[in-house]
Amino acid sequence: RQLLASLSRPYTLSGHDAFVSASIGIALFPDDGDDVAELLRKADSAMYKAKEDGRNNYHFFTEEIEREAQRKRKMETDLFHALENSEFTLHYQPIQNLNSEVVCAEALIRWHSPEKGVVSPAEFIPFAEELNLIAPIGEWVLREACQQAASWTSITPNPPRVAVNLSCRQFQLQHMPTLVEEILTESGLGPDKLTLEITESLMIDDDESTLEQLQALRALGVDLAVDDFGTGYSSLSYLKKFPVSYLKIDRSFVRELPDSQEDVALIKAIMSMAQSLNLEVVAEGVETPGQAA
């Protein structure tokens, strides 16, 4: 605590007060290790735990931290192998209009691990983002979904669009308009048949590069949807600024319909706002006639 207090005191930099904070990881000799390399590695793991706990903090090394670090290392190795060995598959969730016609299909990734069985994306996508593996995995999803959607033209004269989720990290690690244009050309899928789903957090970052990429994607003719709308820090200014076409109402607002008056009021407000902004609305998780009504 004395170290943190000392480091947090202001210092003068070119005539201005500047501030720093520290995250401290602590490993103890001999309990946590008996050589420098092992103690540093474990202190480093403890430091990352301190960062996770909110930074400007300290954390002692524990066996739980070691187990988590080992789990991350194994997950990283397994995800690399999953890409190499084609262990990912896509499932498609239909999106229907009010006439019960399938107008779009959302591509959902599943990992069929030889060791773990079917792994939920909720378990491995956060790791993939943290380890920067989300770029190659996301690129595989986009390429696979576009190729699949292009093949639907041989089944029906008016095939549904395909929707693909994008991670915020993909916009930081890749230039998405270039990648999307390349994949559309490669697959032969028309841009009007592709919807890219982004999260509210991407808009909250308010990064100029991200905005330019989104505008370039819209210029290609691709639709943009805001996924899980209402669960993040929604702002009307973002909807006005960013070139989105669809709002996807999160299933947490749909689940209790029509019994929950609060959810009814929220849904009506979102619908009214979307109509005034000329945005289409998709409701997630509609499973009963009452919810659909």
Side-chain angles (χ1 to χ4, degrees), residues 43-249:
D44 194 51
S45 296
M47 179 199 65
Y48 279 104
K49 179 63 177 171
K51 285 186 175 185
E52 285 177 19
D53 290 348
R55 301 175 183 269
N56 196 28
N57 206 339
Y58 64 89
H59 209 289
F60 284 88
F61 174 82
T62 63
E63 287 305 317
E64 183 183 343
I65 290 175
E66 177 73 352
R67 285 193 294 271
E68 180 65 16
Q70 288 175 350
R71 194 164 81 92
K72 284 184 179 179
R73 285 194 292 271
K74 182 160 185 359
M75 181 67 81
E76 183 174 15
T77 303
D78 290 348
L79 284 172
F80 269 117
H81 289 158
L83 271 170
E84 290 176 354
N85 301 329
S86 303
E87 294 173 9
F88 295 117
T89 58
L90 291 185
H91 293 215
Y92 294 90
Q93 179 166 297
I95 300 173
Q96 299 180 330
N97 62 15
L98 294 177
N99 298 321
S100 298
E101 300 163 332
V102 177
V103 293
C104 188
E106 182 180 355
L108 303 171
I109 189 171
R110 293 294 181 268
W111 176 16
H112 296 265
S113 165
E115 184 183 329
K116 304 181 181 74
V118 179
V119 185
S120 165
E123 186 176 339
F124 69 86
I125 290 295
F127 277 107
E129 290 181 326
E130 186 179 334
L131 300 166
N132 286 345
L133 287 171
I134 195 65
I137 292 174
E139 183 174 333
W140 177 86
V141 171
L142 187 60
R143 183 168 271 110
E144 187 76 9
C146 288
Q147 288 173 349
Q148 184 71 55
S151 73
W152 295 340
T153 55
S154 63
I155 302 170
T156 172
N158 188 28
R161 300 189 317 276
V162 68
V164 177
N165 292 277
L166 295 183
S167 161
C168 300
R169 292 288 293 142
Q170 287 175 266
F171 284 86
Q172 297 164 0
L173 297 168
Q174 298 168 289
H175 188 258
M176 293 308 298
T178 301
L179 178 65
V180 169
E181 187 173 18
E182 174 192 310
I183 290 175
L184 287 175
T185 302
E186 186 183 289
S187 64
L189 184 69
D192 60 317
K193 290 296 185 181
L194 175 63
T195 299
L196 298 174
E197 299 190 2
I198 59 175
T199 59
E200 290 174 319
S201 57
L202 183 69
M203 299 192 293
I204 291 163
D205 287 342
D206 207 9
D207 179 67
E208 198 60 37
S209 168
T210 299
L211 178 57
E212 288 173 5
Q213 288 189 62
L214 292 174
Q215 289 170 336
L217 287 168
R218 283 293 291 128
L220 288 175
V222 172
D223 280 327
L224 298 173
V226 180
D227 197 16
D228 300 333
F229 182 76
T231 59
Y233 299 94
S234 309
S235 169
L236 296 182
S237 64
Y238 297 136
L239 294 178
K240 176 184 173 184
K241 184 176 181 179
F242 286 81
V244 298
S245 309
Y246 293 85
L247 296 183
K248 293 190 72 178
I249 299 173

